[in-house]
Amino acid sequence: MKTFPSMPLGESALRIIRNIDVVWIRNKSIEAAFEVESTTSIYSGLLRLSDLLASQPNISVRLFLLAEEKRRKEVQRNVTRPTFADLDLPNRVRYISFEKLLAEHENLIRYAESPAILERISEEFTVPIEENGGGGGEGGDRKKPRVTWEAKLNWADPKVALEFLPKLRSRIKSDVATELTTRTVGRWLYFQDGKPFCVLWVKKRGFMVSVASDDSFRDSKGISHPVKGFFFPPGHDDVDYGLKLIAEGHRIAKLPSYPWAGTRRPTR
């Protein structure tokens, strides 16, 4: 683009955004922002991203920092600095190595309909750990990384991450919640519109879907269950009906009294 497009943002935010290395723009809104650090300071790139968050604290733009694999520890050390803690930067910015991007670029170009696809090749900066279990056996007290959303996507059929997830997210945003945002927690992907209303977790060929529900939840085909829920595979013959159930979850989650406690979870 020869000139930066006009956007409904303050001048200070626009000035910061213009200094960011790469921005993904669609329909005059920013979908994602990228700082690419090859020879420059990791800290300076993170500072520009943090300035963006400070100027627009409610912005839902995906933020990424790219650097060589050999600089991973340097990235980790800088993003967890106390100066970034108030902005929750380790949970807002994701890391993509140059090596991973180069290996995946052909698939990205082919399938990318939204920045959601970048979640497959990017990583959280902080990965929680859990007990390995086992108690009495050798090594039973050792810890291991939790299973993450990214790890599950890498395990699944490639179409799940590269084709089905972007299309599903696009349909939810267009048909259910135009102000949609997402976040990953462990192995789960949360869809939110202010409050979370839907959660996905990965199966080999699709997703299990959990949505907010109460006694008014309507499922005329009976494919969900108040304790379990429904399966949403790629190529499902009735995606439109599945989206209606997600819309039901969105409606219920928006109720002022709803605590997001009751859900409909997977049956299989």
Side-chain angles (χ1 to χ4, degrees):
M1 304 177 75
K2 293 183 178 180
T3 59
F4 201 89
S6 60
M7 292 185 174
L9 295 172
E11 183 55 36
S12 62
L14 286 174
R15 186 164 54 250
I16 293 167
I17 290 168
R18 291 188 190 107
N19 286 325
I20 291 173
D21 291 330
V22 179
V23 290
W24 183 331
I25 298 173
R26 182 171 59 178
N27 299 328
K28 292 191 175 181
S29 67
I30 298 174
E31 295 282 338
F34 307 82
E35 278 294 329
V36 183
E37 308 302 341
S38 53
T39 58
T40 49
S41 163
I42 297 293
Y43 179 76
S44 64
L46 290 171
L47 195 59
R48 283 187 288 275
L49 296 178
S50 69
D51 284 346
L52 175 60
L53 292 179
S55 67
Q56 297 286 320
N58 296 319
I59 198 167
S60 60
V61 174
R62 286 178 170 83
L63 305 175
F64 299 92
L65 190 139
L66 286 75
E68 288 183 274
E69 179 64 33
K70 68 182 181 181
R71 300 186 77 185
R72 175 188 291 270
K73 289 185 179 180
E74 182 185 354
V75 171
Q76 177 82 27
R77 185 171 62 253
N78 277 276
V79 80
T80 54
R81 286 187 181 202
T83 189
F84 296 132
D86 289 343
L87 295 171
D88 198 25
L89 204 65
N91 292 318
R92 296 292 301 272
V93 180
R94 299 175 68 86
Y95 167 68
I96 301 175
S97 71
F98 291 171
E99 292 84 351
K100 184 73 170 177
L101 182 62
L102 289 169
E104 296 283 349
H105 80 277
E106 289 186 4
N107 285 332
L108 292 172
I109 291 170
R110 180 178 179 184
Y111 291 107
E113 295 181 358
S114 81
I117 200 168
L118 293 171
E119 292 176 3
R120 179 175 179 268
I121 67 165
S122 61
E123 304 170 32
E124 295 176 328
F125 282 110
T126 54
V127 179
I129 55 176
E130 63 184 2
E131 295 297 333
N132 196 16
E138 182 179 349
D141 60 346
R142 284 186 291 179
K143 296 182 177 181
K144 64 178 182 179
R146 283 183 185 165
V147 176
T148 64
W149 171 258
E150 293 78 20
K152 292 293 285 184
L153 278 180
N154 287 331
W155 161 81
D157 185 306
K159 287 186 177 180
V160 173
L162 298 174
E163 184 175 347
F164 190 53
L165 178 60
K167 288 182 179 178
L168 180 59
R169 183 182 183 279
S170 177
R171 286 291 304 274
I172 292 174
K173 187 168 186 177
S174 63
D175 297 359
V176 178
T178 56
E179 300 299 318
L180 179 71
T181 61
T182 60
R183 66 186 177 97
T184 56
V185 179
R187 70 191 70 187
W188 301 284
L189 176 67
Y190 282 72
F191 288 95
Q192 302 177 153
D193 184 7
K195 292 181 179 179
F197 61 92
C198 174
V199 182
L200 302 184
W201 58 98
V202 179
K203 302 298 287 181
K204 191 65 177 178
R205 294 192 60 255
F207 301 104
M208 291 294 189
V209 183
S210 176
V211 296
S213 69
D214 62 10
D215 291 340
S216 70
F217 188 89
R218 296 186 294 271
D219 175 11
S220 61
K221 295 188 177 182
I223 70 170
S224 67
H225 188 279
V227 176
K228 294 187 177 178
F230 62 98
F231 181 55
F232 211 150
H236 195 287
D237 292 335
D238 206 356
V239 171
D240 289 340
Y241 186 72
L243 287 166
K244 286 183 179 180
L245 297 184
I246 292 173
E248 276 288 280
H250 179 260
R251 173 184 68 82
I252 291 167
K254 284 289 189 180
L255 297 175
S257 59
Y258 187 69
W260 217 89
T263 58
R264 294 191 170 239
R265 295 177 181 169
T267 52
R268 53 191 175 90

